[in-house]
């Protein structure tokens, strides 16, 4: 069983609360987050492939009183796999890394990713020392993940198995400076 | 206690502290060993060891989103690992302070260090980094301070290049 990506994103970000900061990864997860509803506390990525998890780490360390959710795709995560090792050594209690895994590179023509060939991102996260992990394959587990995200107390890694589909693109602004400034302003960071 | 020429990493550390740097990311490097030790021993600085330098570019962006100032320590070979991720800092104007120890430019024992060392400056310039080159121990504090002001005052990228002449040649004990 697989989940539909937009519905999964909506479930995770419903009642997100003011203290949830979201870093969607390059590509489909950025469109998903924008489709669910634009928010100043989303820092959408239009590039920096492989960097989403590390942006989340820097943000989580800087903002220990807020929760940080990196929500990215399997291809984006695979490009920055070393970040899981780095995060495993830091383990900020307020960081969740959530990978929407459809086993393909949806933006470039549905070529298979390594996860389709059996590379196990949950296993990698575990081997890197991230103790709290969730394998999400159905609605019940997705609700579990949403609950854990609300009460985040330790670094969490979740793999969400989604269908390989391409819903219509919903594009947020591409102006990186504007995205940065509005994000910082929304959490009261001084210029 | 008078300053000794070999104390320049302490001058860098003091500059980072004065500049309010809260996150220091690094790939371990012999030239940065003393600075890394100082950062690891400091309660106010979160030290983050990386698997590859580009992780540090992304970390520094996240830190700034959350209001923290970060610094990224690396050897010149690491500059090549950062090129695409530097697009993040360029596209969004994230401040990025890089402290780079040079290899492959002066009394280099290992010829494999030369290819990247020989193009470190032009690569950084192409990536819109302002270069602050240090040749003498006495210059370290002043130049590093200027770089800190440039980076966080203008939200720009700076590379403090710590020349191999400053660091001294790597001693091979074997």
């Amino acid at each position: 069983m697989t989940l539909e990506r937009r519905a999964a994103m909506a479930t995770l970000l419903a009642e997100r609360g003011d203290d949830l900061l979201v870093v969607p990864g390059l590509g489909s997860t950025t469109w998903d987050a924008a489709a669910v509803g634009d928010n100043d506390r989303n820092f959408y990525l239009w590039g920096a492939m492989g960097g989403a998890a590390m942006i989340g780490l820097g943000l989580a360390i800087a903002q220990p009183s807020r929760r940080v959710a990196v929500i990215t795709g399997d291809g984006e995560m695979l490009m920055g796999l070393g970040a899981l090792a780095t995060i495993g050594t830091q383990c900020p209690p307020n960081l969740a890394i959530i990978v929407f895994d459809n086993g393909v590179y949806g933006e470039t023509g549905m070529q298979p990713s390594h996860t389709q060939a059996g590379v196990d991102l949950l296993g990698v996260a575990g081997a890197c020392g991230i103790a709290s992990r969730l394998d999400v394959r159905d609605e019940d587990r997705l609700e579990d993940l949403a609950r854990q995200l609300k009460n985040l107390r330790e670094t969490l890694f979740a793999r969400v198995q989604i269908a390989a589909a391409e819903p219509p693109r919903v594009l947020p602004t591409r102006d990186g400076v504007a995205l940065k400034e509005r994000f910082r302003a929304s959490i009261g960071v001084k210029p | 206690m008078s300053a000794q020429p070999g104390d320049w990493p302490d001058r860098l550390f003091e500059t980072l502290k004065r500049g309010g740097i809260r996150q220091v990311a690094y790939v371990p490097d012999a030239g940065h060993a003393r600075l890394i030790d100082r950062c690891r021993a400091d309660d106010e600085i979160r030290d983050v060891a990386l698997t590859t330098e580009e992780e540090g570019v992304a970390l520094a962006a996240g830190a700034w989103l959350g209001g923290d100032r970060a610094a990224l320590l690396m050897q010149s070979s690491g500059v090549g690992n950062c090129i695409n991720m530097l697009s993040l800092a360029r596209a969004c104007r994230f401040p990025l302070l890089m402290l780079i120890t040079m290899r492959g430019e002066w009394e280099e024992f290992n010829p494999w260090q030369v290819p990247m060392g020989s193009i470190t400056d032009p690569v950084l310039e192409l990536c819109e980094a302002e270069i602050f080159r240090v040749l003498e121990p006495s210059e370290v504090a002043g130049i590093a301070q200027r770089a800190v002001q440039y980076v966080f005052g203008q939200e720009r990228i700076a590379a403090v290049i710590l020349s191999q002449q400053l660091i001294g040649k790597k001693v091979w004990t074997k």
Side-chain angles (χ1 to χ4, degrees), chain A residues 58 63 82 86 90 180 184, chain B residues 23 46 55 64 66 93 155:
Chain A
Q63 287 286 320
T86 298
Q90 298 288 330
K180 174 191 69 172
R184 281 166 52 87
Chain B
Q23 299 186 34
R46 180 74 165 253
E55 289 177 8
W64 186 249
R93 264 189 79 169
E155 297 188 72

